[in-house]
PDB file of all heavy atoms in Angstrom:
ATOM      1  N   SER Y   6     -49.278  42.630-114.665  1.00  0.00           N
ATOM      2  CA  SER Y   6     -48.269  41.960-113.618  1.00  0.00           C
ATOM      3  C   SER Y   6     -46.983  42.625-113.589  1.00  0.00           C
ATOM      4  O   SER Y   6     -46.235  42.550-112.634  1.00  0.00           O
ATOM      5  CB  SER Y   6     -48.291  40.407-113.843  1.00  0.00           C
ATOM      6  OG  SER Y   6     -47.474  40.163-115.033  1.00  0.00           O
ATOM      7  N   ALA Y   7     -46.489  43.089-114.756  1.00  0.00           N
ATOM      8  CA  ALA Y   7     -45.116  43.609-114.908  1.00  0.00           C
ATOM      9  C   ALA Y   7     -44.923  44.749-114.023  1.00  0.00           C
ATOM     10  O   ALA Y   7     -43.717  45.040-113.617  1.00  0.00           O
ATOM     11  CB  ALA Y   7     -44.907  44.003-116.471  1.00  0.00           C
ATOM     12  N   ALA Y   8     -45.904  45.568-113.610  1.00  0.00           N
ATOM     13  CA  ALA Y   8     -45.779  46.734-112.792  1.00  0.00           C
ATOM     14  C   ALA Y   8     -45.737  46.313-111.311  1.00  0.00           C
ATOM     15  O   ALA Y   8     -45.522  47.313-110.488  1.00  0.00           O
ATOM     16  CB  ALA Y   8     -46.771  47.770-113.174  1.00  0.00           C
ATOM     17  N   LEU Y   9     -45.982  45.141-110.890  1.00  0.00           N
ATOM     18  CA  LEU Y   9     -46.071  44.761-109.455  1.00  0.00           C
ATOM     19  C   LEU Y   9     -44.829  44.025-108.962  1.00  0.00           C
ATOM     20  O   LEU Y   9     -44.107  43.479-109.702  1.00  0.00           O
ATOM     21  CB  LEU Y   9     -47.351  44.001-109.286  1.00  0.00           C
ATOM     22  CG  LEU Y   9     -48.619  44.686-109.526  1.00  0.00           C
ATOM     23  CD1 LEU Y   9     -49.785  43.720-109.589  1.00  0.00           C
ATOM     24  CD2 LEU Y   9     -48.912  45.914-108.602  1.00  0.00           C
ATOM     25  N   PRO Y  10     -44.673  44.099-107.703  1.00  0.00           N
ATOM     26  CA  PRO Y  10     -43.493  43.357-107.146  1.00  0.00           C
ATOM     27  C   PRO Y  10     -43.636  41.867-107.477  1.00  0.00           C
ATOM     28  O   PRO Y  10     -44.641  41.212-107.834  1.00  0.00           O
ATOM     29  CB  PRO Y  10     -43.663  43.537-105.610  1.00  0.00           C
ATOM     30  CG  PRO Y  10     -44.514  44.751-105.479  1.00  0.00           C
ATOM     31  CD  PRO Y  10     -45.421  44.848-106.599  1.00  0.00           C
ATOM     32  N   ARG Y  11     -42.444  41.181-107.395  1.00  0.00           N
ATOM     33  CA  ARG Y  11     -42.292  39.751-107.902  1.00  0.00           C
ATOM     34  C   ARG Y  11     -43.283  38.932-107.328  1.00  0.00           C
ATOM     35  O   ARG Y  11     -43.857  38.082-108.165  1.00  0.00           O
ATOM     36  CB  ARG Y  11     -40.871  39.371-107.653  1.00  0.00           C
ATOM     37  CG  ARG Y  11     -40.646  37.926-108.231  1.00  0.00           C
ATOM     38  CD  ARG Y  11     -39.112  37.528-108.047  1.00  0.00           C
ATOM     39  NE  ARG Y  11     -38.275  38.411-108.744  1.00  0.00           N
ATOM     40  CZ  ARG Y  11     -36.882  38.371-108.607  1.00  0.00           C
ATOM     41  NH1 ARG Y  11     -36.303  37.400-107.916  1.00  0.00           N
ATOM     42  NH2 ARG Y  11     -36.098  39.174-109.332  1.00  0.00           N
ATOM     43  N   PRO Y  12     -43.495  38.713-105.988  1.00  0.00           N
ATOM     44  CA  PRO Y  12     -44.462  37.683-105.515  1.00  0.00           C
ATOM     45  C   PRO Y  12     -45.940  38.002-106.036  1.00  0.00           C
ATOM     46  O   PRO Y  12     -46.468  37.127-106.593  1.00  0.00           O
ATOM     47  CB  PRO Y  12     -44.444  38.016-103.989  1.00  0.00           C
ATOM     48  CG  PRO Y  12     -43.152  38.542-103.678  1.00  0.00           C
ATOM     49  CD  PRO Y  12     -42.906  39.494-104.848  1.00  0.00           C
ATOM     50  N   ALA Y  13     -46.349  39.209-106.176  1.00  0.00           N
ATOM     51  CA  ALA Y  13     -47.746  39.437-106.673  1.00  0.00           C
ATOM     52  C   ALA Y  13     -47.623  39.284-108.217  1.00  0.00           C
ATOM     53  O   ALA Y  13     -48.655  38.707-108.739  1.00  0.00           O
ATOM     54  CB  ALA Y  13     -48.039  40.858-106.346  1.00  0.00           C
ATOM     55  N   ALA Y  14     -46.579  39.699-108.882  1.00  0.00           N
ATOM     56  CA  ALA Y  14     -46.515  39.396-110.471  1.00  0.00           C
ATOM     57  C   ALA Y  14     -46.675  37.933-110.713  1.00  0.00           C
ATOM     58  O   ALA Y  14     -47.259  37.460-111.659  1.00  0.00           O
ATOM     59  CB  ALA Y  14     -45.225  40.120-110.863  1.00  0.00           C
ATOM     60  N   ALA Y  15     -45.912  37.119-109.882  1.00  0.00           N
ATOM     61  CA  ALA Y  15     -45.846  35.641-110.135  1.00  0.00           C
ATOM     62  C   ALA Y  15     -47.346  35.137-110.008  1.00  0.00           C
ATOM     63  O   ALA Y  15     -47.727  34.231-110.872  1.00  0.00           O
ATOM     64  CB  ALA Y  15     -44.954  34.975-109.220  1.00  0.00           C
ATOM     65  N   LEU Y  16     -47.967  35.520-108.960  1.00  0.00           N
ATOM     66  CA  LEU Y  16     -49.365  35.052-108.802  1.00  0.00           C
ATOM     67  C   LEU Y  16     -50.383  35.526-109.827  1.00  0.00           C
ATOM     68  O   LEU Y  16     -51.229  34.774-110.262  1.00  0.00           O
ATOM     69  CB  LEU Y  16     -49.943  35.429-107.426  1.00  0.00           C
ATOM     70  CG  LEU Y  16     -49.288  34.770-106.193  1.00  0.00           C
ATOM     71  CD1 LEU Y  16     -49.745  35.503-104.794  1.00  0.00           C
ATOM     72  CD2 LEU Y  16     -49.611  33.261-106.178  1.00  0.00           C
ATOM     73  N   LEU Y  17     -50.096  36.738-110.318  1.00  0.00           N
ATOM     74  CA  LEU Y  17     -50.988  37.140-111.317  1.00  0.00           C
ATOM     75  C   LEU Y  17     -50.761  36.431-112.744  1.00  0.00           C
ATOM     76  O   LEU Y  17     -51.650  36.089-113.420  1.00  0.00           O
ATOM     77  CB  LEU Y  17     -50.782  38.711-111.619  1.00  0.00           C
ATOM     78  CG  LEU Y  17     -51.466  39.706-110.686  1.00  0.00           C
ATOM     79  CD1 LEU Y  17     -50.927  40.977-110.880  1.00  0.00           C
ATOM     80  CD2 LEU Y  17     -52.971  39.634-110.901  1.00  0.00           C
ATOM     81  N   ARG Y  18     -49.500  36.108-113.062  1.00  0.00           N
ATOM     82  CA  ARG Y  18     -49.182  35.344-114.158  1.00  0.00           C
ATOM     83  C   ARG Y  18     -49.774  33.861-114.056  1.00  0.00           C
ATOM     84  O   ARG Y  18     -50.206  33.363-115.072  1.00  0.00           O
ATOM     85  CB  ARG Y  18     -47.714  35.319-114.426  1.00  0.00           C
ATOM     86  CG  ARG Y  18     -47.074  36.636-114.889  1.00  0.00           C
ATOM     87  CD  ARG Y  18     -45.633  36.430-115.406  1.00  0.00           C
ATOM     88  NE  ARG Y  18     -44.758  35.990-114.404  1.00  0.00           N
ATOM     89  CZ  ARG Y  18     -44.013  36.870-113.608  1.00  0.00           C
ATOM     90  NH1 ARG Y  18     -44.265  38.239-113.746  1.00  0.00           N
ATOM     91  NH2 ARG Y  18     -43.178  36.440-112.729  1.00  0.00           N
ATOM     92  N   MET Y  19     -49.751  33.332-112.896  1.00  0.00           N
ATOM     93  CA  MET Y  19     -50.360  32.067-112.669  1.00  0.00           C
ATOM     94  C   MET Y  19     -51.869  32.104-112.930  1.00  0.00           C
ATOM     95  O   MET Y  19     -52.456  31.271-113.539  1.00  0.00           O
ATOM     96  CB  MET Y  19     -50.109  31.565-111.249  1.00  0.00           C
ATOM     97  CG  MET Y  19     -50.538  30.230-110.945  1.00  0.00           C
ATOM     98  SD  MET Y  19     -50.390  29.638-109.214  1.00  0.00           S
ATOM     99  CE  MET Y  19     -48.483  30.043-109.043  1.00  0.00           C
ATOM    100  N   GLY Y  20     -52.492  33.211-112.426  1.00  0.00           N
ATOM    101  CA  GLY Y  20     -53.905  33.434-112.668  1.00  0.00           C
ATOM    102  C   GLY Y  20     -54.216  33.615-114.204  1.00  0.00           C
ATOM    103  O   GLY Y  20     -55.212  33.012-114.779  1.00  0.00           O
ATOM    104  N   ALA Y  21     -53.321  34.320-115.002  1.00  0.00           N
ATOM    105  CA  ALA Y  21     -53.521  34.410-116.350  1.00  0.00           C
ATOM    106  C   ALA Y  21     -53.449  33.111-117.017  1.00  0.00           C
ATOM    107  O   ALA Y  21     -54.236  32.766-117.935  1.00  0.00           O
ATOM    108  CB  ALA Y  21     -52.416  35.338-116.929  1.00  0.00           C
ATOM    109  N   LYS Y  22     -52.591  32.150-116.615  1.00  0.00           N
ATOM    110  CA  LYS Y  22     -52.560  30.822-117.166  1.00  0.00           C
ATOM    111  C   LYS Y  22     -53.751  30.057-116.935  1.00  0.00           C
ATOM    112  O   LYS Y  22     -54.135  29.331-117.775  1.00  0.00           O
ATOM    113  CB  LYS Y  22     -51.292  29.995-116.544  1.00  0.00           C
ATOM    114  CG  LYS Y  22     -50.074  30.694-117.039  1.00  0.00           C
ATOM    115  CD  LYS Y  22     -48.770  29.878-116.439  1.00  0.00           C
ATOM    116  CE  LYS Y  22     -47.474  30.337-117.000  1.00  0.00           C
ATOM    117  NZ  LYS Y  22     -46.348  29.690-116.276  1.00  0.00           N
ATOM    118  N   SER Y  23     -54.349  30.247-115.559  1.00  0.00           N
ATOM    119  CA  SER Y  23     -55.671  29.527-115.386  1.00  0.00           C
ATOM    120  C   SER Y  23     -56.752  29.982-116.321  1.00  0.00           C
ATOM    121  O   SER Y  23     -57.591  29.190-116.811  1.00  0.00           O
ATOM    122  CB  SER Y  23     -56.077  29.647-113.922  1.00  0.00           C
ATOM    123  OG  SER Y  23     -55.047  29.065-113.107  1.00  0.00           O
ATOM    124  N   ILE Y  24     -56.850  31.382-116.470  1.00  0.00           N
ATOM    125  CA  ILE Y  24     -57.856  31.887-117.329  1.00  0.00           C
ATOM    126  C   ILE Y  24     -57.675  31.377-118.775  1.00  0.00           C
ATOM    127  O   ILE Y  24     -58.775  30.990-119.336  1.00  0.00           O
ATOM    128  CB  ILE Y  24     -57.716  33.473-117.335  1.00  0.00           C
ATOM    129  CG1 ILE Y  24     -58.048  34.001-116.082  1.00  0.00           C
ATOM    130  CG2 ILE Y  24     -58.523  34.070-118.530  1.00  0.00           C
ATOM    131  CD1 ILE Y  24     -57.671  35.625-115.824  1.00  0.00           C
ATOM    132  N   LEU Y  25     -56.484  31.311-119.359  1.00  0.00           N
ATOM    133  CA  LEU Y  25     -56.202  30.732-120.659  1.00  0.00           C
ATOM    134  C   LEU Y  25     -56.533  29.263-120.656  1.00  0.00           C
ATOM    135  O   LEU Y  25     -57.136  28.789-121.686  1.00  0.00           O
ATOM    136  CB  LEU Y  25     -54.866  30.837-121.049  1.00  0.00           C
ATOM    137  CG  LEU Y  25     -54.451  32.297-121.595  1.00  0.00           C
ATOM    138  CD1 LEU Y  25     -52.841  32.303-121.833  1.00  0.00           C
ATOM    139  CD2 LEU Y  25     -55.183  32.679-122.872  1.00  0.00           C
ATOM    140  N   SER Y  26     -56.320  28.477-119.677  1.00  0.00           N
ATOM    141  CA  SER Y  26     -56.598  27.008-119.671  1.00  0.00           C
ATOM    142  C   SER Y  26     -57.999  26.740-119.687  1.00  0.00           C
ATOM    143  O   SER Y  26     -58.534  25.736-120.201  1.00  0.00           O
ATOM    144  CB  SER Y  26     -55.779  26.375-118.536  1.00  0.00           C
ATOM    145  OG  SER Y  26     -56.180  24.991-118.229  1.00  0.00           O
ATOM    146  N   ALA Y  27     -58.893  27.537-118.920  1.00  0.00           N
ATOM    147  CA  ALA Y  27     -60.254  27.270-118.677  1.00  0.00           C
ATOM    148  C   ALA Y  27     -61.029  27.610-120.037  1.00  0.00           C
ATOM    149  O   ALA Y  27     -60.806  28.543-120.641  1.00  0.00           O
ATOM    150  CB  ALA Y  27     -60.854  28.112-117.560  1.00  0.00           C
ATOM    151  N   PRO Y  28     -62.120  26.842-120.288  1.00  0.00           N
ATOM    152  CA  PRO Y  28     -62.905  27.009-121.552  1.00  0.00           C
ATOM    153  C   PRO Y  28     -63.815  28.206-121.294  1.00  0.00           C
ATOM    154  O   PRO Y  28     -64.264  28.948-122.197  1.00  0.00           O
ATOM    155  CB  PRO Y  28     -63.640  25.834-121.708  1.00  0.00           C
ATOM    156  CG  PRO Y  28     -63.658  25.142-120.469  1.00  0.00           C
ATOM    157  CD  PRO Y  28     -62.317  25.395-119.774  1.00  0.00           C
ATOM    158  N   VAL Y  29     -64.109  28.550-120.050  1.00  0.00           N
ATOM    159  CA  VAL Y  29     -65.066  29.816-119.769  1.00  0.00           C
ATOM    160  C   VAL Y  29     -64.569  30.356-118.362  1.00  0.00           C
ATOM    161  O   VAL Y  29     -64.075  29.623-117.568  1.00  0.00           O
ATOM    162  CB  VAL Y  29     -66.492  29.179-119.671  1.00  0.00           C
ATOM    163  CG1 VAL Y  29     -66.755  28.188-118.545  1.00  0.00           C
ATOM    164  CG2 VAL Y  29     -67.438  30.289-119.516  1.00  0.00           C
ATOM    165  N   VAL Y  30     -64.844  31.609-118.294  1.00  0.00           N
ATOM    166  CA  VAL Y  30     -64.536  32.428-117.069  1.00  0.00           C
ATOM    167  C   VAL Y  30     -65.817  33.078-116.698  1.00  0.00           C
ATOM    168  O   VAL Y  30     -66.472  33.776-117.523  1.00  0.00           O
ATOM    169  CB  VAL Y  30     -63.298  33.318-117.261  1.00  0.00           C
ATOM    170  CG1 VAL Y  30     -63.202  34.331-116.177  1.00  0.00           C
ATOM    171  CG2 VAL Y  30     -62.093  32.580-117.525  1.00  0.00           C
ATOM    172  N   ILE Y  31     -66.146  33.083-115.377  1.00  0.00           N
ATOM    173  CA  ILE Y  31     -67.214  33.902-114.966  1.00  0.00           C
ATOM    174  C   ILE Y  31     -66.581  35.008-113.895  1.00  0.00           C
ATOM    175  O   ILE Y  31     -65.924  34.625-112.935  1.00  0.00           O
ATOM    176  CB  ILE Y  31     -68.221  33.069-114.129  1.00  0.00           C
ATOM    177  CG1 ILE Y  31     -68.824  31.963-115.099  1.00  0.00           C
ATOM    178  CG2 ILE Y  31     -69.356  33.928-113.548  1.00  0.00           C
ATOM    179  CD1 ILE Y  31     -69.798  31.037-114.285  1.00  0.00           C
ATOM    180  N   ALA Y  32     -66.785  36.225-114.267  1.00  0.00           N
ATOM    181  CA  ALA Y  32     -66.550  37.316-113.462  1.00  0.00           C
ATOM    182  C   ALA Y  32     -67.634  37.804-112.633  1.00  0.00           C
ATOM    183  O   ALA Y  32     -68.770  37.769-113.116  1.00  0.00           O
ATOM    184  CB  ALA Y  32     -65.756  38.442-114.220  1.00  0.00           C
ATOM    185  N   VAL Y  33     -67.412  38.177-111.345  1.00  0.00           N
ATOM    186  CA  VAL Y  33     -68.442  38.745-110.604  1.00  0.00           C
ATOM    187  C   VAL Y  33     -68.026  40.179-110.046  1.00  0.00           C
ATOM    188  O   VAL Y  33     -67.036  40.271-109.512  1.00  0.00           O
ATOM    189  CB  VAL Y  33     -68.687  37.821-109.316  1.00  0.00           C
ATOM    190  CG1 VAL Y  33     -69.777  38.369-108.477  1.00  0.00           C
ATOM    191  CG2 VAL Y  33     -68.991  36.276-109.803  1.00  0.00           C
ATOM    192  N   ALA Y  34     -68.907  41.104-110.280  1.00  0.00           N
ATOM    193  CA  ALA Y  34     -68.709  42.504-109.944  1.00  0.00           C
ATOM    194  C   ALA Y  34     -69.872  43.034-109.082  1.00  0.00           C
ATOM    195  O   ALA Y  34     -70.934  42.731-109.340  1.00  0.00           O
ATOM    196  CB  ALA Y  34     -68.430  43.347-111.207  1.00  0.00           C
ATOM    197  N   ASN Y  35     -69.471  43.847-108.164  1.00  0.00           N
ATOM    198  CA  ASN Y  35     -70.560  44.548-107.507  1.00  0.00           C
ATOM    199  C   ASN Y  35     -71.056  45.767-108.265  1.00  0.00           C
ATOM    200  O   ASN Y  35     -70.304  46.386-108.957  1.00  0.00           O
ATOM    201  CB  ASN Y  35     -70.047  45.056-106.090  1.00  0.00           C
ATOM    202  CG  ASN Y  35     -69.684  44.091-105.062  1.00  0.00           C
ATOM    203  OD1 ASN Y  35     -68.650  44.188-104.524  1.00  0.00           O
ATOM    204  ND2 ASN Y  35     -70.492  43.126-104.977  1.00  0.00           N
ATOM    205  N   THR Y  36     -72.386  46.008-108.204  1.00  0.00           N
ATOM    206  CA  THR Y  36     -72.918  47.098-109.041  1.00  0.00           C
ATOM    207  C   THR Y  36     -72.916  48.424-108.371  1.00  0.00           C
ATOM    208  O   THR Y  36     -73.049  49.415-108.996  1.00  0.00           O
ATOM    209  CB  THR Y  36     -74.324  46.776-109.363  1.00  0.00           C
ATOM    210  OG1 THR Y  36     -75.123  46.844-108.155  1.00  0.00           O
ATOM    211  CG2 THR Y  36     -74.503  45.491-110.109  1.00  0.00           C
ATOM    212  N   GLY Y  37     -72.813  48.486-107.054  1.00  0.00           N
ATOM    213  CA  GLY Y  37     -72.817  49.686-106.351  1.00  0.00           C
ATOM    214  C   GLY Y  37     -74.205  50.138-105.964  1.00  0.00           C
ATOM    215  O   GLY Y  37     -74.468  51.180-105.312  1.00  0.00           O
ATOM    216  N   ASP Y  38     -75.225  49.369-106.377  1.00  0.00           N
ATOM    217  CA  ASP Y  38     -76.662  49.721-106.194  1.00  0.00           C
ATOM    218  C   ASP Y  38     -77.083  49.862-104.796  1.00  0.00           C
ATOM    219  O   ASP Y  38     -77.700  50.760-104.337  1.00  0.00           O
ATOM    220  CB  ASP Y  38     -77.632  48.763-106.926  1.00  0.00           C
ATOM    221  CG  ASP Y  38     -77.520  48.851-108.395  1.00  0.00           C
ATOM    222  OD1 ASP Y  38     -77.001  49.768-108.886  1.00  0.00           O
ATOM    223  OD2 ASP Y  38     -77.986  47.909-108.965  1.00  0.00           O
ATOM    224  N   LEU Y  39     -76.528  48.908-103.966  1.00  0.00           N
ATOM    225  CA  LEU Y  39     -76.934  48.971-102.513  1.00  0.00           C
ATOM    226  C   LEU Y  39     -76.298  50.161-101.892  1.00  0.00           C
ATOM    227  O   LEU Y  39     -76.823  50.762-100.965  1.00  0.00           O
ATOM    228  CB  LEU Y  39     -76.361  47.593-101.807  1.00  0.00           C
ATOM    229  CG  LEU Y  39     -76.725  47.476-100.349  1.00  0.00           C
ATOM    230  CD1 LEU Y  39     -78.138  47.598-100.043  1.00  0.00           C
ATOM    231  CD2 LEU Y  39     -76.216  46.161 -99.840  1.00  0.00           C
ATOM    232  N   ILE Y  40     -75.037  50.425-102.234  1.00  0.00           N
ATOM    233  CA  ILE Y  40     -74.356  51.582-101.716  1.00  0.00           C
ATOM    234  C   ILE Y  40     -75.124  52.840-101.980  1.00  0.00           C
ATOM    235  O   ILE Y  40     -75.300  53.701-101.096  1.00  0.00           O
ATOM    236  CB  ILE Y  40     -72.853  51.797-102.254  1.00  0.00           C
ATOM    237  CG1 ILE Y  40     -72.089  50.500-101.644  1.00  0.00           C
ATOM    238  CG2 ILE Y  40     -72.234  52.995-101.673  1.00  0.00           C
ATOM    239  CD1 ILE Y  40     -70.692  50.420-102.356  1.00  0.00           C
ATOM    240  N   ARG Y  41     -75.603  53.028-103.250  1.00  0.00           N
ATOM    241  CA  ARG Y  41     -76.285  54.318-103.514  1.00  0.00           C
ATOM    242  C   ARG Y  41     -77.603  54.441-102.850  1.00  0.00           C
ATOM    243  O   ARG Y  41     -77.974  55.381-102.334  1.00  0.00           O
ATOM    244  CB  ARG Y  41     -76.487  54.269-105.058  1.00  0.00           C
ATOM    245  CG  ARG Y  41     -75.230  54.598-105.905  1.00  0.00           C
ATOM    246  CD  ARG Y  41     -75.509  54.842-107.345  1.00  0.00           C
ATOM    247  NE  ARG Y  41     -75.823  53.556-107.949  1.00  0.00           N
ATOM    248  CZ  ARG Y  41     -74.969  52.674-108.490  1.00  0.00           C
ATOM    249  NH1 ARG Y  41     -73.708  52.973-108.363  1.00  0.00           N
ATOM    250  NH2 ARG Y  41     -75.395  51.533-109.023  1.00  0.00           N
ATOM    251  N   HIS Y  42     -78.382  53.299-102.950  1.00  0.00           N
ATOM    252  CA  HIS Y  42     -79.601  53.266-102.174  1.00  0.00           C
ATOM    253  C   HIS Y  42     -79.514  53.415-100.690  1.00  0.00           C
ATOM    254  O   HIS Y  42     -80.318  54.048-100.011  1.00  0.00           O
ATOM    255  CB  HIS Y  42     -80.520  52.020-102.620  1.00  0.00           C
ATOM    256  CG  HIS Y  42     -80.788  51.965-104.177  1.00  0.00           C
ATOM    257  ND1 HIS Y  42     -81.049  50.788-104.710  1.00  0.00           N
ATOM    258  CD2 HIS Y  42     -80.782  52.920-105.088  1.00  0.00           C
ATOM    259  CE1 HIS Y  42     -81.248  51.072-105.922  1.00  0.00           C
ATOM    260  NE2 HIS Y  42     -81.029  52.397-106.261  1.00  0.00           N
ATOM    261  N   GLY Y  43     -78.616  52.659-100.099  1.00  0.00           N
ATOM    262  CA  GLY Y  43     -78.516  52.579 -98.675  1.00  0.00           C
ATOM    263  C   GLY Y  43     -78.140  53.882 -98.023  1.00  0.00           C
ATOM    264  O   GLY Y  43     -78.637  54.293 -97.037  1.00  0.00           O
ATOM    265  N   THR Y  44     -77.144  54.552 -98.685  1.00  0.00           N
ATOM    266  CA  THR Y  44     -76.630  55.906 -98.121  1.00  0.00           C
ATOM    267  C   THR Y  44     -77.778  56.919 -98.039  1.00  0.00           C
ATOM    268  O   THR Y  44     -77.759  57.881 -97.228  1.00  0.00           O
ATOM    269  CB  THR Y  44     -75.398  56.414 -98.908  1.00  0.00           C
ATOM    270  OG1 THR Y  44     -75.709  56.369-100.257  1.00  0.00           O
ATOM    271  CG2 THR Y  44     -74.247  55.524 -98.712  1.00  0.00           C
ATOM    272  N   ASP Y  45     -78.711  56.758 -98.984  1.00  0.00           N
ATOM    273  CA  ASP Y  45     -79.786  57.681 -98.959  1.00  0.00           C
ATOM    274  C   ASP Y  45     -80.954  57.328 -97.902  1.00  0.00           C
ATOM    275  O   ASP Y  45     -81.600  58.089 -97.346  1.00  0.00           O
ATOM    276  CB  ASP Y  45     -80.541  57.747-100.334  1.00  0.00           C
ATOM    277  CG  ASP Y  45     -79.605  58.419-101.351  1.00  0.00           C
ATOM    278  OD1 ASP Y  45     -78.821  59.309-101.038  1.00  0.00           O
ATOM    279  OD2 ASP Y  45     -79.812  58.118-102.545  1.00  0.00           O
ATOM    280  N   LEU Y  46     -81.001  55.977 -97.676  1.00  0.00           N
ATOM    281  CA  LEU Y  46     -82.088  55.400 -96.868  1.00  0.00           C
ATOM    282  C   LEU Y  46     -81.781  55.643 -95.444  1.00  0.00           C
ATOM    283  O   LEU Y  46     -82.528  55.955 -94.504  1.00  0.00           O
ATOM    284  CB  LEU Y  46     -82.249  53.944 -97.100  1.00  0.00           C
ATOM    285  CG  LEU Y  46     -83.235  53.030 -96.304  1.00  0.00           C
ATOM    286  CD1 LEU Y  46     -84.665  53.600 -96.482  1.00  0.00           C
ATOM    287  CD2 LEU Y  46     -83.118  51.583 -96.569  1.00  0.00           C
ATOM    288  N   PHE Y  47     -80.349  55.390 -94.994  1.00  0.00           N
ATOM    289  CA  PHE Y  47     -79.980  55.410 -93.623  1.00  0.00           C
ATOM    290  C   PHE Y  47     -79.644  57.003 -93.340  1.00  0.00           C
ATOM    291  O   PHE Y  47     -78.799  57.497 -93.955  1.00  0.00           O
ATOM    292  CB  PHE Y  47     -78.804  54.585 -93.342  1.00  0.00           C
ATOM    293  CG  PHE Y  47     -79.227  53.173 -93.019  1.00  0.00           C
ATOM    294  CD1 PHE Y  47     -80.075  52.451 -93.748  1.00  0.00           C
ATOM    295  CD2 PHE Y  47     -78.702  52.419 -91.898  1.00  0.00           C
ATOM    296  CE1 PHE Y  47     -80.524  51.158 -93.453  1.00  0.00           C
ATOM    297  CE2 PHE Y  47     -78.976  51.190 -91.592  1.00  0.00           C
ATOM    298  CZ  PHE Y  47     -79.879  50.507 -92.341  1.00  0.00           C
TER     299      PHE Y  47
END
């Protein structure tokens, strides 16, 4: 957050506090599988 402008940095720090406060965090990431298969298919 330190490298970003103040409004974005403040929101990131708020997000970090939520991460610390919660007992568990679930992250969701795209695998890219559809992109790889689809570009060959179409």
Side-chain angles (χ1 to χ4, degrees):
S6 71
L9 294 173
R11 184 177 297 176
L16 289 173
L17 281 170
R18 288 194 295 271
M19 186 184 303
K22 289 179 180 178
S23 294
I24 291 170
L25 280 174
S26 175
V29 63
V30 169
I31 300 175
V33 181
N35 293 135
T36 64
D38 291 342
L39 180 59
I40 296 173
R41 286 187 290 274
H42 297 157
T44 51
D45 292 334
L46 179 65
F47 273 49

